[in-house]
Amino acid sequence: MGQPISHSTQSGFNWPSSEAMTARSSLSFSRLAPVLRVLELRGVSCSDLEAHTPDKRQIMCAGSFGQPVFTRGELASALSSYVARAAEKLRKQGSAAGGLMVFIRTNPFRPSDPQYSPAVTVPLTTASDDTPLLKRAALWTLDRIFQSDYRYAQAGVMLTNLQPRDTAQRHLFIEDNVDPGKRTALNAVIDQANRRYGRGSLKLASALDDKGWKMKQGKVSPNWTTVWADVPVAR
């Protein structure tokens, strides 16, 4: 076999070519990273760019609470908010979910507290991207795993079994009383309003009571590059 092509530098050191780097795949990334960085700066492509980002296979939305949560109502409010956010991402990539997982957790870093961390996945009768339908499925699941007398610290939902919305099959023996066209239009209006006026401008009624569980963000960094009000001004 011939010697791999190398790139010479003024110091006399020969940097291996991208072909050589590919061949020597046994090297650890920590050793390859500086070499690849130099090659990229010299105009040698070391990785292929994706022309199209592949659709996500799962969409998860979860969060830790600002203070311990004890009631089913507070958990329902948090899960409703997380479902709405996950469903918005689902519609953005043109998919429908065939299943949904719900989990609630106590704080594992407080060993003195009773621990309880259930997670349950339920299949949907028909794949859907409808926020109210996904919310009902999430709260139905919550009713079956919720237990009182625990200090809950986190909750979340994961949309699973994602498939293209246009090819999702409907159930043959179950009649949907909701007009799909009207529900699609409703979700589109909600998504458009939240993009224009900010996340959470329009939300489900079950997600309105967020004072008990909402994460504390009193010291969050400003959005220097994405919010006009936070852009620094030189005086």
Side-chain angles (χ1 to χ4, degrees), residues 60-65 74-75 78-79 82 102-105 142 152-157:
M60 181 174 179
C61 189
S64 299
F65 303 141
E74 291 174 307
L75 288 174
L79 288 174
Y82 298 150
V102 173
F103 70 87
I104 52 178
R105 295 176 181 171
L142 173 64
Y152 294 102
Q154 188 182 35
V157 297

Side-chain angles (χ1 to χ4, degrees), residues 6-220:
S6 60
H7 299 273
S8 300
T9 63
Q10 293 181 355
S11 63
F13 185 82
N14 291 330
W15 290 101
S17 66
S18 57
E19 292 84 356
M21 290 293 95
T22 303
R24 300 179 63 184
S25 57
S26 60
L27 293 177
S28 66
F29 179 77
S30 60
R31 294 175 60 189
L32 285 175
V35 178
L36 297 178
R37 190 177 301 116
V38 171
L39 291 176
E40 291 281 0
L41 291 173
R42 294 174 62 87
V44 179
S45 178
C46 298
S47 61
D48 296 330
L49 297 178
E50 293 182 346
H52 173 70
T53 303
D55 291 339
K56 297 179 180 179
R57 298 182 179 180
Q58 297 175 332
I59 295 179
M60 181 174 179
C61 189
S64 299
F65 303 141
Q67 59 187 14
V69 166
F70 298 90
T71 67
R72 185 265 181 196
E74 291 174 307
L75 288 174
S77 176
L79 288 174
S80 296
S81 179
Y82 298 150
V83 166
R85 179 60 179 151
E88 182 180 350
K89 295 179 180 180
L90 184 69
R91 291 189 291 271
K92 186 176 181 180
Q93 75 172 30
S95 299
L100 179 144
M101 184 191 78
V102 173
F103 70 87
I104 52 178
R105 295 176 181 171
T106 53
N107 190 345
F109 301 104
R110 294 179 61 95
S112 59
D113 292 346
Q115 297 297 311
Y116 180 58
S117 303
V120 176
T121 301
V122 296
L124 300 179
T125 305
T126 57
S128 176
D129 64 352
D130 180 34
T131 297
L133 187 148
L134 296 172
K135 185 263 298 185
R136 288 199 301 271
L139 298 190
W140 181 90
T141 307
L142 173 64
D143 289 338
R144 280 143 185 82
I145 62 176
F146 172 75
Q147 293 186 15
S148 58
D149 301 327
Y150 286 101
R151 297 165 56 95
Y152 294 102
Q154 188 182 35
V157 297
M158 178 185 292
L159 303 181
T160 61
N161 191 19
L162 305 189
Q163 52 194 277
R165 178 176 52 200
D166 297 336
T167 60
Q169 295 184 353
R170 302 182 64 83
H171 200 285
L172 181 62
F173 302 105
I174 296 180
E175 182 178 357
D176 191 353
N177 295 324
V178 180
D179 185 349
K182 292 182 178 180
R183 191 55 64 87
T184 299
L186 173 63
N187 287 317
V189 169
I190 295 175
D191 293 345
Q192 183 178 5
N194 288 332
R195 285 194 297 268
R196 182 173 182 178
Y197 299 108
R199 184 185 304 175
S201 299
L202 283 180
K203 62 177 66 176
L204 298 170
S206 56
L208 292 176
D209 185 16
D210 59 1
K211 295 181 179 179
W213 60 267
K214 193 172 184 179
M215 183 182 298
K216 296 180 181 179
Q217 296 179 317
K219 298 183 179 180
V220 66

